[in-house]
Amino acid sequence: MANDPTRKTLRHFYCRDVLWQSFERMSEALDRGVDELVNEAMRALAQQQGFLPSDFVMSPASGLSQPGLPRPDARSEGVPSQSDGQSGSSVSRSTGLRRPAPPPLPAVRNTAEQSASRPPPVPPAPSFSVPAQTGGGAAPPLYLLFGNQRYVIDKEQFIIGRGNKSSDLPIRDGNISRKHAVVIRRNGEYYIKDLGSTNGIDFNGERIEGKKIEEGDTFSICDYQLKFTYH
């Protein structure tokens, strides 16, 4: 699994506010998640610096595996470089320009150290399915309290997500998926269900795939609270 280009692990890092705000604007304009854009930027930089081969792709549909990494001395223009006898630099035969030597790779830690430094994996949410429609009685009105506003759920499916056109409740945040969750009215009752989002839905501190909505239930989507009431 170590060489699987589709594998993801939760990471924590500091980011300058101006960069994150730029990626949020890009996320809104391109209708792509911030984490997807950050992964793409990291891949492009690693390829530019020669730490990933040029044919490396992250799409699972590509069918490409990760080939071996190129040698550091052949990673820039695709031509050999010649040492000028000075430590820390090399001269390109094609251009004659001096360029700094690549930084040394970090020392590989043993397995125990790596395991201790990794954040614990997020457990998968228990599977959940909305009951089939059986022509039950009329549903009572359900209200969603969000951002000091009150929304009435008056349709069979009420979409929550980042997309302005595709969501009944749009939340403009790059961490929110375009279609993040849905409230479904079924047989006179209401259910909330995750739509395969990146960051999921939390209830009482636990990740869930879905749940029947009871009076006063509060769900978390990233840093946002969604409270439901029948009153």
Side-chain angles (χ1 to χ4, degrees):
M1 294 297 294
N3 293 324
D4 182 4
T6 66
R7 182 173 181 265
K8 292 183 178 180
T9 303
L10 179 65
R11 309 289 183 186
H12 298 277
F13 66 97
Y14 290 97
C15 177
R16 295 185 183 276
D17 291 344
V18 64
L19 294 177
W20 189 260
Q21 291 163 4
S22 297
F23 271 82
E24 286 184 326
R25 293 196 299 270
M26 291 170 58
S27 173
E28 181 67 25
L30 301 176
D31 201 14
R32 297 171 64 185
V34 169
D35 59 332
E36 180 182 357
L37 296 175
V38 171
N39 273 267
E40 179 67 17
M42 293 173 68
R43 179 199 61 78
L45 178 61
Q47 287 181 326
Q48 182 185 42
Q49 296 298 319
F51 290 97
L52 278 178
S54 59
D55 59 350
F56 175 87
V57 293
M58 294 184 293
S59 171
S62 65
L64 293 177
S65 61
Q66 292 187 27
L69 297 180
R71 297 191 307 273
D73 61 350
R75 68 186 190 182
S76 295
E77 297 89 355
V79 297
S81 60
Q82 176 178 316
S83 173
D84 63 352
Q86 298 180 11
S87 176
S89 64
S90 61
V91 178
S92 169
R93 292 178 180 173
S94 62
T95 63
L97 298 178
R98 186 182 303 279
R99 66 189 182 197
L105 293 175
V108 177
R109 296 176 295 177
N110 61 43
T111 303
E113 290 176 337
Q114 291 179 348
S115 299
S117 65
R118 292 174 181 167
V122 178
S127 60
F128 174 83
S129 60
V130 177
Q133 180 73 17
T134 59
L142 176 65
Y143 301 95
L144 167 58
L145 307 180
F146 175 78
N148 296 323
Q149 295 191 44
R150 186 182 181 94
Y151 300 84
V152 59
I153 311 296
D154 57 357
K155 54 193 306 185
E156 296 299 317
Q157 294 191 1
F158 184 91
I159 303 294
I160 302 167
R162 189 181 73 250
N164 286 328
K165 296 181 179 179
S166 58
S167 302
D168 299 291
L169 173 59
I171 304 175
R172 298 190 60 181
D173 187 314
N175 292 310
I176 303 293
S177 297
R178 189 171 65 88
K179 289 185 177 181
H180 198 107
V182 59
V183 177
I184 300 174
R185 184 172 62 193
R186 188 66 51 83
N187 302 326
E189 298 177 322
Y190 294 89
Y191 302 82
I192 188 169
K193 182 174 176 61
D194 181 34
L195 292 177
S197 64
T198 300
N199 294 310
I201 306 172
D202 289 340
F203 180 72
N204 288 341
E206 295 184 359
R207 181 66 55 88
I208 64 170
E209 185 179 335
K211 179 187 180 299
K212 177 183 175 182
I213 299 175
E214 308 286 356
E215 169 60 34
D217 276 354
T218 300
F219 301 90
S220 298
I221 294 180
C222 296
D223 294 328
Y224 303 93
Q225 304 294 311
L226 307 174
K227 183 174 181 179
F228 292 90
T229 179
Y230 291 94
H231 301 302

